[in-house]
Amino acid sequence: ALFAEAVRPDQLPLIHDVAKSLAARTLEPNAFYEPAFLVHALHHFKGRVSIVLVWANTQRTHLLGLFPLAMPRFDVAAPVLRGWITPYMTNGAPLMDADAAQSVFACFMQWVEDEAGAAAAVIFPSLSLNGPVAAIMRAHAVRAGVLTQTFGGRTRAVMSRAKSVDE
């Protein structure tokens, strides 16, 4: 059974190797959440950040998901959790194992329900609306019977693997 837990940013170096392995097999690549970048970015961009890790089991031997979150700053009736990004980041897609992404996201949302109290919403800024992570999130929302909302939708440039403009 999958297992989710929140860790502090200073604990991320302890799981560097398993996080690097996850980044290599993630559903949607995100260089900003790979451990080599994330550890240093979190050090320089202070704030209330937690990283929710989704493991294949309670022995913590196989990392399946990594969700950096900016935690609410104030105690409000219905806090909103946000995927953590800096003003310099262009991708907010959490890392999820490509072979288990649906289960990983469901486990993350169960963690939100169980551990984050009465969070009114979870927002993932700078997420590609047509990307595979957004598709997993929409499918989960349909299964769970919850609403989704898009804020400030935009497109971004993506480098093509084509060898020429004509291909």
Side-chain angles (χ1 to χ4, degrees), residues 29-34 37-45 49 66-70 82-95 124-128 154 156:
N30 184 348
F32 299 108
Y33 287 169
E34 290 186 18
F37 181 90
L38 186 59
V39 167
H40 299 290
L42 288 170
H43 176 72
H44 292 288
F45 293 96
V49 179
L66 187 146
F67 297 80
L69 296 176
R82 287 180 63 86
W84 180 83
I85 62 168
T86 73
Y88 307 104
M89 292 169 60
T90 58
N91 186 354
L95 302 184
F124 291 94
S126 297
L127 189 65
S128 173
R154 62 178 188 258
R156 65 175 180 254

Side-chain angles (χ1 to χ4, degrees), residues 74-156:
F74 306 105
D75 291 328
V76 293
V80 174
L81 299 176
R82 287 180 63 86
W84 180 83
I85 62 168
T86 73
Y88 307 104
M89 292 169 60
T90 58
N91 186 354
L95 302 184
M96 294 188 285
D97 186 291
D99 293 333
Q102 288 183 0
S103 299
V104 169
F105 190 70
C107 183
F108 166 76
M109 291 304 294
Q110 187 63 53
W111 176 89
V112 169
E113 186 176 319
D114 294 344
E115 302 295 330
V122 181
I123 298 173
F124 291 94
S126 297
L127 189 65
S128 173
L129 295 177
N130 297 321
V133 168
I136 292 291
M137 292 176 179
R138 283 190 299 272
H140 177 82
V142 168
R143 283 190 306 277
V146 297
L147 298 174
T148 61
Q149 178 68 45
T150 300
F151 298 98
R154 62 178 188 258
T155 58
R156 65 175 180 254

